[in-house]
Amino acid sequence: SIAQCATTDVYLEGISLLAAKAVENHPLFNGQECSTRYIDMTNQPCIYSHTEIHEWQQKFIALYTRALAVMKEMLKLQFPLKDQPEDTKESVWENTINARAFDICRGILPAGITTNVGASITLDTLNDHFAKLMRHPTLEVPIIAAKVFAGLQKKYPDVCKSADDVVQSTQHYQAGYFYNDLTAALGLCNQGEIIPVGEEFYHGVLDFGSYRDIQRHRNGFTTMPILTPHLGIHEYYLDMLTPDLAEEFIDLFKAYQLWYKESDINVFEMQYSTPIGACVAFSMQCDLNQALYVIELRSAKTVHQTLRDLVIHWANQLSYLTKISMYVDTSEDNFTLKRGTQTFSEVKENESDQG
């Protein structure tokens, strides 16, 4: 297709974390999403379809806001600047403190909270992928897809279809195409436990926040779970919060589980009020080279600890099965200042160099 030779940029602002995953769920997606690990999400709006969902979102965000302030102060006491290497910049230390606090508190955030996604994709991929998204079972994603098609047809009228044409050609796509729910199959697993199914298949339970990281690897296939509260909150978030905050989170989540069980809202929309610290079951299929790449990349100390623990577990299993040498960072998790340098900063042009 000639459309494979044309690339365009798409910017989606103010879409939910769930919609971002739907947009990114394509092997040829080429883009980036704002990270909950580096951004204070306190004032971010949420996407919701029902008042009850929004009420729960507000409860979780209120707890996130309180927890973030407490954890920042606690971490400053736990890892004071005076205990860092002599040449440590205060700004790097401050960024590291913030990043670690975001890591701990992000599990409280509801999945309907908004983020931004930017991508550079061929017109052929956009036509194909967003056509299918017109049939996505959430209310939000088809609206996003229709807006993308409206913009594409305006800019590339000879190449891109209209939203109306697309809807007619995608009637056979059902909810099962977009989600592969393994909760029933893996529901008996402990949080974080892996089921080995051979060298190319990796199954496990992970919090949705870290699932979003592993799902971004394109050279393979990762199932898309339905986010529910059924498998509970990943223990990492409860262990890292102060006892009072952890207890408050547990109580709020238990109340949410009761509401979830009794609600008649469909499961696709209730994802928007479910915290991203809730666990999901998933599987990942890739060749051995990609497995090694994922394991070596995602075992670094800068990776979120829940994903890092899972990947190190995979590494141990793969090493046992294949006896292949791997460069895996299995050192104990600690306070690493690298997190404080993984930021964008504004670069200003030197006025003295201007002619």
Side-chain angles (χ1 to χ4, degrees):
S1 169
I2 193 66
Q4 293 177 339
C5 301
T7 301
T8 192
D9 297 329
V10 176
Y11 300 96
L12 303 173
E13 299 180 340
I15 67 174
S16 71
L17 298 181
L18 293 164
K21 282 297 99 183
V23 169
E24 296 165 10
N25 192 26
H26 192 283
L28 298 180
F29 175 82
N30 179 40
Q32 184 65 45
E33 173 190 347
C34 291
S35 175
T36 58
R37 301 186 66 209
Y38 289 95
I39 297 175
D40 185 343
M41 306 293 280
T42 299
N43 297 316
Q44 287 294 104
C46 289
I47 303 296
Y48 58 93
S49 57
H50 298 73
T51 303
E52 290 175 275
I53 288 176
H54 188 44
E55 289 172 353
W56 280 106
Q57 290 173 335
Q58 290 177 314
K59 291 177 183 179
F60 285 118
I61 291 175
L63 177 56
Y64 169 86
T65 303
R66 294 196 306 276
L68 195 58
V70 171
M71 295 309 301
K72 284 182 180 180
E73 293 307 312
M74 191 189 84
L75 290 169
K76 287 178 180 179
L77 294 174
Q78 188 177 358
F79 305 102
L81 179 59
K82 64 181 179 64
D83 289 352
Q84 308 312 313
E86 226 175 276
D87 59 346
T88 300
K89 294 181 180 179
E90 186 173 356
S91 60
V92 171
W93 172 76
E94 190 81 36
N95 287 340
T96 306
I97 291 290
N98 291 340
R100 194 173 181 90
F102 294 149
D103 272 2
I104 295 169
C105 298
R106 76 162 185 185
I108 307 172
L109 289 170
I113 203 160
T114 52
T115 185
N116 302 323
V117 176
S120 182
I121 313 178
T122 67
L123 295 181
D124 184 60
T125 298
L126 280 171
N127 269 326
D128 173 67
H129 183 40
F130 280 84
K132 295 168 184 173
L133 292 181
M134 291 287 290
R135 292 291 178 177
H136 196 274
T138 64
L139 295 175
E140 178 193 14
V141 174
I143 294 173
I144 294 171
K147 289 180 179 178
V148 169
F149 273 112
L152 289 174
Q153 192 177 48
K154 184 177 180 181
K155 190 169 184 180
Y156 309 106
D158 296 329
V159 181
C160 296
K161 303 175 182 178
S162 70
D164 291 338
D165 291 339
V166 167
V167 167
Q168 294 300 319
S169 63
T170 57
Q171 294 181 13
H172 56 290
Y173 288 102
Q174 304 296 323
Y177 174 82
F178 300 98
Y179 290 100
N180 309 91
D181 189 19
L182 298 179
T183 301
L186 301 182
L188 299 179
C189 296
N190 294 323
Q191 294 177 10
E193 184 181 352
I194 310 306
I195 302 176
V197 191
E199 294 181 11
E200 297 182 350
F201 292 87
Y202 304 83
H203 292 231
V205 178
L206 191 62
D207 62 285
F208 187 74
S210 283
Y211 162 81
R212 292 165 55 246
D213 294 333
I214 200 74
Q215 186 263 354
R216 289 202 304 266
H217 290 279
R218 305 291 166 223
N219 291 327
F221 174 74
T222 303
T223 56
M224 177 67 72
I226 300 174
L227 176 59
T228 75
H230 299 328
L231 297 183
I233 296 294
H234 195 290
E235 60 187 11
Y236 165 87
Y237 299 103
L238 303 176
D239 291 343
M240 296 302 291
L241 289 169
T242 65
D244 288 346
L245 287 170
E247 184 178 358
E248 187 175 354
F249 190 15
I250 290 171
D251 290 344
L252 182 60
F253 188 73
K254 285 181 177 178
Y256 177 71
Q257 287 178 309
L258 289 175
W259 169 81
Y260 187 99
K261 185 178 181 180
E262 297 173 359
S263 176
D264 58 0
I265 301 173
N266 73 64
V267 294
F268 304 113
E269 296 306 313
M270 284 198 287
Q271 293 181 103
Y272 284 78
S273 51
T274 304
I276 65 173
C279 290
V280 293
F282 75 99
S283 68
M284 177 178 172
Q285 179 183 2
C286 61
D287 63 30
L288 185 57
N289 286 334
Q290 283 302 309
L292 292 174
Y293 171 76
V294 169
I295 287 171
E296 293 178 0
L297 179 69
R298 294 297 179 180
S299 65
K301 289 181 181 179
T302 53
V303 174
H304 194 281
Q305 192 60 34
T306 58
L307 178 54
R308 187 167 180 255
D309 288 343
L310 176 67
V311 165
I312 290 173
H313 193 93
W314 281 352
N316 292 335
Q317 290 185 338
L318 191 59
S319 177
Y320 175 79
L321 291 169
T322 65
K323 310 301 181 185
I324 290 177
S325 297
M326 289 174 278
Y327 299 95
V328 181
D329 184 352
T330 58
S331 57
E332 187 178 350
D333 178 51
N334 60 15
F335 184 81
T336 173
L337 292 168
K338 276 188 175 182
R339 293 292 309 282
T341 62
Q342 295 179 321
T343 59
F344 290 105
S345 59
E346 184 180 1
V347 178
K348 295 185 178 180
E349 197 171 5
N350 190 333
E351 291 182 1
S352 63
D353 292 337
Q354 297 178 2

Coordinates of all heavy atoms in Angstrom, one line a residue, residues 120-197:
S120 N 4.0 8.6 16.0 CA 4.4 8.8 14.6 C 4.1 7.5 13.9 O 4.9 6.5 14.1 CB 5.8 9.3 14.4 OG 6.1 9.5 13.1
I121 N 3.1 7.4 13.1 CA 2.6 6.1 12.5 C 2.3 6.3 11.0 O 1.9 7.4 10.6 CB 1.3 5.6 13.2 CG1 1.5 5.8 14.8 CG2 1.0 4.2 12.9 CD1 0.3 5.3 15.6
T122 N 2.4 5.2 10.3 CA 2.1 5.2 8.9 C 0.6 5.4 8.7 O -0.2 4.9 9.6 CB 2.6 4.0 8.1 OG1 1.8 2.9 8.6 CG2 4.1 3.7 8.3
L123 N 0.2 6.0 7.6 CA -1.3 6.1 7.3 C -1.9 4.7 7.2 O -3.1 4.6 7.6 CB -1.5 6.9 6.1 CG -1.0 8.4 6.1 CD1 -1.3 9.1 4.8 CD2 -1.7 9.1 7.3
D124 N -1.2 3.8 6.7 CA -1.8 2.4 6.6 C -2.1 1.8 7.9 O -3.2 1.3 8.1 CB -0.8 1.5 5.8 CG -1.3 0.1 5.6 OD1 -2.4 0.0 4.9 OD2 -0.8 -0.8 6.1
T125 N -1.2 2.0 8.9 CA -1.4 1.5 10.2 C -2.5 2.2 10.9 O -3.4 1.6 11.6 CB -0.1 1.6 11.1 OG1 0.9 0.7 10.5 CG2 -0.3 1.1 12.5
L126 N -2.6 3.5 10.7 CA -3.6 4.3 11.4 C -5.0 3.9 10.8 O -5.9 3.8 11.6 CB -3.4 5.8 11.1 CG -2.4 6.5 12.0 CD1 -2.1 7.9 11.4 CD2 -2.9 6.6 13.4
N127 N -5.1 3.8 9.5 CA -6.4 3.3 8.9 C -6.8 2.0 9.5 O -8.0 1.8 9.9 CB -6.2 3.2 7.4 CG -6.6 4.5 6.7 OD1 -7.5 5.2 7.1 ND2 -5.9 4.8 5.6
D128 N -5.9 1.1 9.6 CA -6.2 -0.3 10.1 C -6.5 -0.3 11.6 O -7.6 -0.8 12.0 CB -5.0 -1.2 9.8 CG -5.2 -2.6 10.4 OD1 -6.1 -3.3 9.9 OD2 -4.5 -2.9 11.3
H129 N -5.6 0.3 12.4 CA -5.8 0.2 13.8 C -7.0 1.0 14.3 O -7.8 0.5 15.1 CB -4.5 0.7 14.5 CG -4.5 0.5 16.0 ND1 -5.0 -0.5 16.7 CD2 -4.0 1.4 16.9 CE1 -4.8 -0.4 18.0 NE2 -4.2 0.8 18.1
F130 N -7.1 2.2 13.9 CA -8.2 3.1 14.4 C -9.5 2.6 13.9 O -10.6 2.9 14.5 CB -7.9 4.5 14.2 CG -6.9 5.1 15.2 CD1 -5.6 5.0 15.0 CD2 -7.4 5.8 16.3 CE1 -4.7 5.5 16.0 CE2 -6.5 6.3 17.3 CZ -5.1 6.1 17.1
A131 N -9.5 2.0 12.7 CA -10.8 1.4 12.2 C -11.3 0.4 13.2 O -12.5 0.3 13.5 CB -10.6 0.8 10.9
K132 N -10.4 -0.5 13.7 CA -10.9 -1.5 14.7 C -11.3 -0.8 16.0 O -12.2 -1.3 16.7 CB -9.7 -2.5 14.9 CG -9.4 -3.3 13.7 CD -8.1 -4.1 13.8 CE -7.8 -4.8 12.5 NZ -6.5 -5.4 12.5
L133 N -10.6 0.3 16.4 CA -10.9 0.9 17.7 C -12.3 1.6 17.6 O -12.8 1.9 18.7 CB -9.8 2.0 18.0 CG -8.4 1.5 18.3 CD1 -7.5 2.6 18.7 CD2 -8.5 0.5 19.5
M134 N -12.8 1.8 16.4 CA -14.2 2.3 16.3 C -15.2 1.3 17.0 O -16.3 1.7 17.3 CB -14.5 2.5 14.9 CG -13.8 3.7 14.2 SD -14.4 5.3 14.8 CE -16.0 5.4 14.1
R135 N -14.8 0.0 17.1 CA -15.6 -1.0 17.7 C -15.2 -1.4 19.1 O -15.7 -2.4 19.7 CB -15.6 -2.2 16.8 CG -16.3 -2.0 15.4 CD -17.8 -1.8 15.6 NE -18.4 -1.6 14.3 CZ -19.7 -1.5 14.2 NH1 -20.5 -1.6 15.2 NH2 -20.2 -1.2 13.0
H136 N -14.3 -0.6 19.7 CA -13.9 -0.9 21.1 C -15.1 -0.8 22.0 O -15.9 0.0 21.9 CB -12.8 0.1 21.5 CG -12.0 -0.3 22.7 ND1 -12.4 0.0 24.0 CD2 -10.8 -0.9 22.8 CE1 -11.5 -0.5 24.8 NE2 -10.5 -1.1 24.1
P137 N -15.1 -1.7 23.0 CA -16.3 -1.8 23.9 C -16.4 -0.7 24.9 O -17.5 -0.6 25.6 CB -16.1 -3.2 24.6 CG -14.7 -3.4 24.6 CD -14.2 -2.9 23.3
T138 N -15.4 0.1 25.2 CA -15.6 1.3 26.0 C -16.3 2.4 25.3 O -16.3 2.4 24.0 CB -14.2 1.8 26.6 OG1 -13.4 2.3 25.5 CG2 -13.5 0.7 27.3
L139 N -16.8 3.3 26.0 CA -17.5 4.5 25.3 C -16.5 5.5 24.8 O -16.7 6.2 23.8 CB -18.4 5.2 26.3 CG -19.6 4.3 26.8 CD1 -20.4 5.1 27.9 CD2 -20.6 4.0 25.6
E140 N -15.3 5.6 25.5 CA -14.3 6.6 25.2 C -13.6 6.4 23.9 O -13.4 7.3 23.1 CB -13.3 6.7 26.4 CG -12.3 7.8 26.1 CD -11.1 7.7 27.1 OE1 -11.0 6.6 27.8 OE2 -10.3 8.6 27.2
V141 N -13.1 5.1 23.8 CA -12.1 4.9 22.7 C -12.7 5.1 21.3 O -12.1 5.7 20.4 CB -11.6 3.4 22.8 CG1 -10.7 3.1 21.6 CG2 -10.7 3.3 24.1
P142 N -14.0 4.6 21.0 CA -14.5 4.9 19.6 C -14.7 6.4 19.3 O -14.5 6.8 18.2 CB -15.9 4.2 19.7 CG -15.8 3.2 20.7 CD -14.9 3.7 21.7
I143 N -14.9 7.2 20.4 CA -15.0 8.7 20.2 C -13.6 9.2 19.8 O -13.5 10.0 18.9 CB -15.5 9.3 21.5 CG1 -16.9 8.9 21.7 CG2 -15.4 10.9 21.3 CD1 -17.5 9.4 23.1
I144 N -12.6 8.7 20.4 CA -11.2 9.1 20.1 C -10.9 8.7 18.6 O -10.4 9.5 17.9 CB -10.2 8.5 21.1 CG1 -10.4 9.0 22.5 CG2 -8.8 8.7 20.6 CD1 -9.6 8.3 23.5
A145 N -11.2 7.5 18.3 CA -11.0 7.0 16.9 C -11.7 7.8 15.9 O -11.1 8.1 14.8 CB -11.4 5.5 16.8
A146 N -12.9 8.2 16.2 CA -13.7 9.0 15.2 C -13.1 10.4 15.0 O -13.0 10.9 13.9 CB -15.1 9.2 15.7
K147 N -12.6 11.0 16.1 CA -11.9 12.3 16.0 C -10.6 12.1 15.2 O -10.2 13.0 14.4 CB -11.6 12.8 17.4 CG -12.8 13.3 18.1 CD -12.5 13.8 19.5 CE -13.7 14.3 20.3 NZ -13.4 14.8 21.6
V148 N -9.9 11.0 15.4 CA -8.7 10.8 14.6 C -9.0 10.7 13.1 O -8.3 11.3 12.3 CB -7.9 9.6 15.1 CG1 -6.8 9.2 14.1 CG2 -7.3 9.8 16.5
F149 N -10.0 9.9 12.8 CA -10.4 9.8 11.4 C -10.9 11.1 10.8 O -10.6 11.4 9.6 CB -11.5 8.7 11.2 CG -11.0 7.3 11.1 CD1 -11.2 6.4 12.1 CD2 -10.3 7.0 9.9 CE1 -10.6 5.1 11.9 CE2 -9.7 5.7 9.8 CZ -9.9 4.8 10.8
A150 N -11.5 11.9 11.6 CA -12.0 13.2 11.1 C -10.8 14.1 10.7 O -10.7 14.8 9.7 CB -12.9 13.9 12.1
G151 N -9.8 14.1 11.6 CA -8.6 14.8 11.3 C -7.8 14.3 10.1 O -7.2 15.0 9.3
L152 N -7.7 13.0 10.0 CA -7.0 12.3 8.9 C -7.6 12.6 7.6 O -6.9 12.9 6.6 CB -6.9 10.8 9.2 CG -6.0 10.3 10.3 CD1 -6.1 8.8 10.5 CD2 -4.5 10.7 10.0
Q153 N -9.0 12.5 7.6 CA -9.6 12.7 6.3 C -9.5 14.2 5.8 O -9.4 14.5 4.6 CB -11.1 12.3 6.4 CG -11.7 12.3 5.0 CD -13.1 11.8 5.0 OE1 -13.9 12.3 5.8 NE2 -13.5 10.9 4.1
K154 N -9.5 15.1 6.8 CA -9.3 16.5 6.5 C -7.9 16.8 5.9 O -7.8 17.5 4.9 CB -9.5 17.3 7.7 CG -9.5 18.8 7.5 CD -9.8 19.6 8.8 CE -9.8 21.1 8.5 NZ -10.0 21.9 9.8
K155 N -6.9 16.1 6.4 CA -5.6 16.4 6.0 C -5.2 15.5 4.8 O -4.4 15.9 3.9 CB -4.6 16.1 7.1 CG -3.2 16.6 6.8 CD -2.3 16.6 8.1 CE -0.9 17.2 7.8 NZ -0.1 17.2 9.0
Y156 N -5.7 14.2 4.8 CA -5.3 13.3 3.7 C -6.6 12.7 3.1 O -6.9 11.5 3.2 CB -4.4 12.2 4.3 CG -3.3 12.6 5.1 CD1 -3.3 12.5 6.5 CD2 -2.1 13.2 4.5 CE1 -2.2 12.9 7.2 CE2 -1.0 13.6 5.2 CZ -1.1 13.5 6.6 OH 0.0 13.9 7.3
P157 N -7.4 13.5 2.4 CA -8.7 13.0 2.0 C -8.6 11.9 0.9 O -9.6 11.1 0.8 CB -9.3 14.3 1.3 CG -8.2 15.1 1.0 CD -7.1 14.9 2.1
D158 N -7.5 11.8 0.2 CA -7.4 10.7 -0.8 C -6.9 9.4 -0.3 O -6.9 8.4 -1.0 CB -6.5 11.2 -1.9 CG -7.0 12.5 -2.6 OD1 -8.2 12.6 -2.7 OD2 -6.1 13.3 -3.1
V159 N -6.5 9.4 1.0 CA -5.9 8.2 1.5 C -6.7 7.6 2.7 O -6.8 6.4 2.8 CB -4.4 8.5 2.0 CG1 -3.8 7.2 2.5 CG2 -3.6 9.0 0.9
C160 N -7.2 8.5 3.5 CA -7.9 8.0 4.7 C -9.4 8.0 4.5 O -10.0 8.9 3.9 CB -7.5 8.9 5.9 SG -5.8 8.8 6.3
K161 N -10.0 7.0 5.2 CA -11.5 6.8 5.1 C -12.2 7.7 6.1 O -11.6 8.3 7.0 CB -11.8 5.4 5.4 CG -11.2 4.3 4.5 CD -11.5 2.9 5.1 CE -10.8 1.9 4.2 NZ -11.0 0.5 4.8
S162 N -13.5 7.9 5.9 CA -14.3 8.6 6.9 C -14.7 7.7 8.0 O -14.7 6.4 7.8 CB -15.5 9.2 6.2 OG -16.4 8.2 5.9
A163 N -15.1 8.2 9.1 CA -15.5 7.4 10.3 C -16.7 6.6 9.9 O -16.9 5.4 10.3 CB -15.8 8.3 11.5
D164 N -17.6 7.2 9.1 CA -18.9 6.4 8.8 C -18.5 5.2 7.9 O -19.1 4.1 8.1 CB -19.8 7.4 8.0 CG -20.4 8.5 8.9 OD1 -20.4 8.3 10.1 OD2 -20.8 9.5 8.3
D165 N -17.6 5.4 7.0 CA -17.2 4.2 6.1 C -16.6 3.1 7.0 O -16.8 1.9 6.8 CB -16.2 4.7 5.0 CG -16.9 5.6 4.0 OD1 -18.1 5.5 3.9 OD2 -16.2 6.3 3.3
V166 N -15.8 3.6 7.9 CA -15.0 2.6 8.8 C -16.0 1.8 9.6 O -15.9 0.6 9.8 CB -14.0 3.4 9.7 CG1 -13.5 2.4 10.8 CG2 -12.9 3.9 8.8
V167 N -17.0 2.4 10.2 CA -18.0 1.7 11.0 C -18.7 0.6 10.3 O -18.9 -0.5 10.8 CB -19.0 2.7 11.6 CG1 -20.2 2.0 12.2 CG2 -18.4 3.7 12.6
Q168 N -19.0 0.9 9.0 CA -19.6 -0.1 8.2 C -18.7 -1.4 7.9 O -19.2 -2.5 7.8 CB -20.1 0.5 6.9 CG -21.1 1.6 7.0 CD -22.4 1.0 7.7 OE1 -22.9 -0.1 7.4 NE2 -23.0 1.8 8.6
S169 N -17.4 -1.1 7.9 CA -16.5 -2.2 7.5 C -15.9 -3.0 8.7 O -15.1 -3.9 8.5 CB -15.4 -1.7 6.7 OG -14.6 -0.7 7.4
T170 N -16.3 -2.6 9.9 CA -15.7 -3.2 11.1 C -16.8 -3.8 12.0 O -16.5 -4.0 13.2 CB -14.9 -2.2 11.9 OG1 -15.7 -1.1 12.3 CG2 -13.7 -1.7 11.1
Q171 N -17.9 -4.2 11.5 CA -19.0 -4.7 12.3 C -18.7 -6.0 13.0 O -19.3 -6.4 14.0 CB -20.3 -4.8 11.4 CG -20.8 -3.5 10.9 CD -22.1 -3.7 10.1 OE1 -22.7 -4.8 10.1 NE2 -22.5 -2.7 9.4
H172 N -17.7 -6.8 12.4 CA -17.5 -8.1 13.0 C -16.5 -8.1 14.2 O -16.3 -9.1 14.8 CB -16.9 -9.0 11.9 CG -15.6 -8.4 11.3 ND1 -15.6 -7.3 10.4 CD2 -14.3 -8.8 11.4 CE1 -14.4 -7.1 10.0 NE2 -13.6 -7.9 10.6
Y173 N -16.0 -6.9 14.5 CA -15.1 -6.9 15.7 C -15.9 -6.8 17.0 O -16.7 -5.8 17.2 CB -14.1 -5.7 15.6 CG -13.1 -5.9 14.5 CD1 -13.2 -5.3 13.3 CD2 -12.0 -6.7 14.8 CE1 -12.2 -5.5 12.3 CE2 -11.0 -7.0 13.8 CZ -11.1 -6.3 12.6 OH -10.2 -6.6 11.6
Q174 N -15.7 -7.7 17.9 CA -16.5 -7.8 19.1 C -15.5 -7.5 20.3 O -14.3 -7.4 20.1 CB -17.1 -9.1 19.3 CG -18.1 -9.5 18.2 CD -19.3 -8.5 18.1 OE1 -19.8 -8.0 19.1 NE2 -19.7 -8.2 16.8
A175 N -16.0 -7.4 21.5 CA -15.2 -7.1 22.7 C -14.1 -8.1 22.9 O -13.0 -7.8 23.3 CB -16.1 -7.1 24.0
G176 N -14.3 -9.4 22.5 CA -13.3 -10.4 22.7 C -12.0 -10.2 21.9 O -11.0 -10.7 22.2
Y177 N -12.2 -9.4 20.8 CA -11.0 -9.0 20.0 C -10.0 -8.1 20.8 O -8.8 -8.2 20.6 CB -11.4 -8.3 18.7 CG -10.3 -7.8 17.9 CD1 -9.6 -8.7 17.0 CD2 -9.9 -6.5 17.9 CE1 -8.5 -8.2 16.3 CE2 -8.8 -6.0 17.2 CZ -8.1 -6.9 16.3 OH -7.1 -6.5 15.6
F178 N -10.6 -7.3 21.6 CA -9.8 -6.3 22.3 C -9.2 -6.7 23.6 O -8.2 -6.2 24.1 CB -10.6 -5.0 22.5 CG -11.1 -4.4 21.2 CD1 -12.4 -4.7 20.7 CD2 -10.2 -3.6 20.4 CE1 -12.8 -4.1 19.5 CE2 -10.7 -3.1 19.2 CZ -12.0 -3.3 18.8
Y179 N -9.9 -7.7 24.3 CA -9.5 -8.1 25.6 C -9.3 -9.6 25.6 O -10.1 -10.4 25.0 CB -10.5 -7.7 26.6 CG -10.6 -6.2 26.9 CD1 -11.6 -5.4 26.3 CD2 -9.7 -5.6 27.7 CE1 -11.6 -4.1 26.6 CE2 -9.7 -4.3 28.0 CZ -10.7 -3.5 27.4 OH -10.7 -2.1 27.6
N180 N -8.3 -10.1 26.3 CA -8.1 -11.5 26.5 C -8.0 -11.7 28.0 O -6.9 -11.6 28.6 CB -6.8 -12.0 25.9 CG -6.7 -11.5 24.4 OD1 -6.2 -10.5 24.1 ND2 -7.2 -12.3 23.5
D181 N -9.1 -11.9 28.7 CA -9.2 -12.0 30.1 C -8.7 -13.3 30.6 O -9.4 -14.3 30.4 CB -10.6 -11.6 30.6 CG -10.6 -11.4 32.1 OD1 -9.5 -11.2 32.7 OD2 -11.7 -11.5 32.7
L182 N -7.6 -13.3 31.3 CA -7.1 -14.6 31.9 C -7.3 -14.7 33.4 O -6.8 -15.6 34.0 CB -5.5 -14.7 31.6 CG -5.1 -14.6 30.2 CD1 -3.6 -14.7 30.1 CD2 -5.7 -15.8 29.4
T183 N -8.2 -13.9 33.9 CA -8.4 -13.9 35.3 C -8.9 -15.2 35.8 O -8.5 -15.8 36.8 CB -9.4 -12.8 35.7 OG1 -8.9 -11.5 35.3 CG2 -9.7 -12.8 37.2
A184 N -9.8 -15.8 35.0 CA -10.3 -17.2 35.4 C -9.3 -18.2 35.4 O -9.2 -19.1 36.2 CB -11.5 -17.5 34.5
A185 N -8.4 -18.2 34.3 CA -7.4 -19.2 34.1 C -6.3 -19.1 35.2 O -5.8 -20.1 35.7 CB -6.8 -19.1 32.8
L186 N -5.9 -17.8 35.6 CA -4.8 -17.6 36.5 C -5.3 -17.1 37.9 O -4.5 -16.7 38.7 CB -3.8 -16.6 35.9 CG -3.2 -17.0 34.6 CD1 -2.2 -15.9 34.1 CD2 -2.5 -18.3 34.6
G187 N -6.6 -17.2 38.1 CA -7.1 -16.6 39.3 C -6.6 -17.3 40.6 O -6.7 -16.7 41.7
L188 N -6.1 -18.5 40.5 CA -5.7 -19.2 41.7 C -4.2 -18.8 42.0 O -3.7 -19.3 43.0 CB -5.8 -20.7 41.5 CG -7.2 -21.2 41.3 CD1 -7.3 -22.7 41.1 CD2 -8.1 -20.8 42.5
C189 N -3.5 -18.1 41.1 CA -2.1 -17.7 41.3 C -2.0 -16.7 42.5 O -2.9 -15.9 42.7 CB -1.5 -17.1 40.1 SG -1.5 -18.1 38.7
N190 N -0.9 -16.8 43.2 CA -0.6 -15.7 44.1 C -0.1 -14.5 43.3 O 0.3 -14.6 42.2 CB 0.5 -16.1 45.1 CG 0.1 -17.2 46.0 OD1 -1.0 -17.3 46.4 ND2 1.0 -18.2 46.2
Q191 N -0.3 -13.3 43.9 CA 0.2 -12.1 43.2 C 1.6 -12.2 42.8 O 2.5 -12.4 43.7 CB -0.1 -10.9 44.1 CG -1.6 -10.6 44.3 CD -1.8 -9.5 45.2 OE1 -0.9 -8.7 45.5 NE2 -3.0 -9.3 45.7
G192 N 1.9 -12.0 41.6 CA 3.3 -12.0 41.1 C 3.8 -13.4 40.7 O 4.9 -13.5 40.2
E193 N 3.1 -14.5 40.9 CA 3.5 -15.8 40.6 C 3.5 -16.0 39.1 O 2.6 -15.5 38.4 CB 2.7 -16.9 41.3 CG 3.2 -18.3 41.1 CD 2.3 -19.3 41.7 OE1 1.4 -18.9 42.5 OE2 2.5 -20.5 41.5
I194 N 4.5 -16.8 38.6 CA 4.6 -17.0 37.2 C 4.3 -18.5 36.9 O 4.7 -19.3 37.6 CB 6.0 -16.6 36.6 CG1 6.4 -15.2 37.1 CG2 6.0 -16.7 35.1 CD1 5.4 -14.2 36.7
I195 N 3.6 -18.7 35.8 CA 3.4 -20.1 35.3 C 4.2 -20.4 34.1 O 3.9 -19.8 33.0 CB 1.9 -20.4 35.0 CG1 1.0 -20.1 36.2 CG2 1.7 -21.8 34.5 CD1 -0.4 -20.2 35.9
P196 N 5.3 -21.1 34.2 CA 6.1 -21.4 33.0 C 5.4 -22.3 32.0 O 4.9 -23.3 32.4 CB 7.4 -22.1 33.5 CG 6.9 -22.7 34.8 CD 5.8 -21.8 35.3
V197 N 5.4 -21.9 30.7 CA 4.7 -22.7 29.7 C 5.6 -22.9 28.5 O 5.2 -23.1 27.4 CB 3.4 -22.0 29.2 CG1 2.5 -22.9 28.4 CG2 2.6 -21.5 30.4

